Amino acid sequence: MNILAIESSCDDTSAAVLTDDGIQSNIIASQSIHLKFGGVVPELASRAHQKTITQTVEQALDEGNTSLDEIEAIAVTQGPGLLGSLLVGICFAKGLALSRDIPLIGVNHMDAHIYANFIDHQPEFPLIALTVSGGHTQLVHVKSPFEHEIIGETRDDAAGEAFDKIGKLLGLPYPAGPHMDKLAKEGDPKFHKFPQALLHEGLDFSFSGLKTSVLYYLQDKEEDWIQEHLNDICASVSFAISEVLVKKLKRAIKLTGVKTVLLAGGVSANSMLREKSQRMAEEMEVKLYSPQISYCTDNAAMIAMTGKMKADLGHFDDLDLVPFSSLS
């Protein structure tokens, strides 16, 4: 099945084409307008989507060597995300579906992060997915395709949100996660022991205390001192976050007895998290999968793959499809 996918849940407009030969194109139009605000401004995001979505879809079809006449289904992000941004993508997808009489498939954005692993791999069920992004941090027990049970989640800030907020304290550009990861590679993670909340309790996460701890730690430090030790601070923050994530993942594996583990979401690109997860998987003798870096952050390729998996099960939607801003 040839699938056109559209992703517009936040500040990236993305379109992709998936055929029987795999992902043929994955175009991402990022929005630089949010950089000066240190975060995404919802109204500006939806306006930017409106300006770029047509060109983005056309480019995806062109680079995928696929005409619209050859498209057999349209997959689109239904949520969670910013309502205005989601509406742009859904309305565009509905327009194409209606005009060309093409089946429509609504995709849960968080599901798509998990199934991004299926683009290049064939993980076996049941499995545990550690989904870490700017808005969500979850441990999901996936018993079979689309049979999900959230067994752990954040009680406050998500892991990606913690990276961004701490990065802002350090004067790093938004989004701060990739910048902190790069600096952390040159730093010493034992420079300062930042808190690892709920490390020995259950499967839930909490990262707001880490942000506050870094804030207090920096209050009496001169700017020159912070810049001199920036690599070490970033390494210490990355160590604290990755340590909690991996310890919780290890606990989830023991509780469920699964032999397959997935990393998913934007923070799954973090090098320290990947290294620690790989060591843990080898110690516990489980298979660990993680997406290509290009499939970690928001992208339409993961929407296409999830759409294909839903189509294989006969799960299609009609034109009454509506967006949802948060997980139920």
Side-chain angles (χ1 to χ4, degrees):
M1 176 174 283
N2 296 331
I3 295 178
L4 170 66
I6 297 171
E7 150 63 19
S8 65
S9 63
C10 192
D11 61 332
D12 287 330
T13 311
S14 183
V17 170
L18 172 67
T19 69
D20 291 339
D21 294 325
I23 297 294
Q24 302 303 307
S25 63
N26 185 37
I27 308 302
I28 302 174
S30 299
Q31 300 176 2
S32 59
I33 192 171
H34 306 285
L35 293 176
K36 63 181 179 181
F37 299 104
V40 178
V41 181
E43 179 63 24
L44 296 179
S46 58
R47 291 180 183 180
H49 283 304
Q50 286 182 311
K51 292 180 180 179
T52 59
I53 190 166
T54 300
Q55 181 181 351
T56 304
V57 169
E58 289 176 346
Q59 187 176 347
L61 291 168
D62 183 52
E63 292 194 12
N65 293 316
T66 307
S67 70
L68 195 53
D69 292 334
E70 296 174 283
I71 295 299
E72 299 168 278
I74 299 174
V76 61
T77 304
Q78 187 177 4
L82 303 175
L83 273 180
S85 295
L86 290 167
L87 275 170
V88 174
I90 289 177
C91 289
F92 191 92
K94 283 183 178 181
L96 282 180
L98 181 62
S99 65
R100 297 287 183 135
D101 194 25
I102 303 173
L104 189 66
I105 305 170
V107 172
N108 182 310
H109 181 83
M110 298 308 295
D111 290 356
H113 275 305
I114 294 174
Y115 294 117
N117 283 279
F118 288 74
I119 295 175
D120 296 314
H121 310 291
Q122 289 297 322
E124 296 180 356
F125 297 95
L127 56 85
I128 291 291
L130 173 62
T131 309
V132 277
S133 65
H136 300 84
T137 299
Q138 299 174 337
L139 281 166
V140 186
H141 187 195
V142 185
K143 301 173 185 178
S144 62
F146 305 103
E147 186 183 358
H148 299 176
E149 178 188 3
I150 298 176
I151 57 176
E153 58 188 335
T154 184
R155 297 181 182 179
D156 39 61
D157 289 353
E161 188 177 3
F163 274 121
D164 286 337
K165 289 181 177 179
I166 293 171
K168 190 172 184 178
L169 294 175
L170 296 171
L172 298 176
Y174 174 85
H179 299 284
M180 293 189 70
D181 187 29
K182 182 178 180 180
L183 294 170
K185 292 177 182 178
E186 306 299 326
D188 178 3
K190 297 182 180 180
F191 176 72
H192 180 71
K193 183 73 173 177
F194 291 122
Q196 300 169 20
L198 303 178
L199 185 64
H200 304 293
E201 299 178 33
L203 298 176
D204 282 348
F205 306 88
S206 173
F207 295 108
S208 63
L210 172 62
K211 170 197 63 184
T212 305
S213 177
V214 175
L215 173 65
Y216 288 156
Y217 184 73
L218 297 177
Q219 277 184 340
D220 60 349
K221 303 292 190 298
E222 298 291 336
E223 181 61 30
D224 289 344
W225 185 94
I226 294 174
Q227 293 304 313
E228 181 182 349
H229 296 91
L230 188 59
N231 293 349
D232 296 334
I233 296 172
C234 290
S236 300
V237 171
S238 292
F239 180 87
I241 292 177
S242 60
E243 195 73 6
V244 172
L245 292 173
V246 174
K247 286 288 179 63
K248 299 284 186 175
L249 178 57
K250 185 176 182 178
R251 187 171 299 142
I253 294 169
K254 290 181 178 179
L255 288 172
T256 59
V258 301
K259 295 298 182 181
T260 305
V261 180
L262 309 182
L263 298 183
V267 182
S268 68
N270 180 272
S271 57
M272 193 178 294
L273 173 60
R274 288 194 172 214
E275 291 169 5
K276 287 185 178 181
S277 298
Q278 186 59 51
R279 289 199 298 268
M280 180 274 297
E282 292 171 359
E283 291 171 4
M284 299 191 71
E285 297 182 340
V286 298
K287 292 182 179 179
L288 174 71
Y289 298 93
S290 54
Q292 291 185 34
I293 299 298
S294 59
Y295 298 147
C296 289
T297 53
D298 295 348
N299 67 92
M302 68 181 190
I303 305 299
M305 175 54 65
T306 310
K308 178 187 181 301
M309 295 176 71
K310 293 188 72 173
D312 288 343
L313 295 172
H315 296 172
F316 293 92
D317 294 281
D318 54 34
L319 294 177
D320 292 332
L321 184 75
V322 295
F324 54 89
S325 60
S326 60
L327 292 171
S328 59

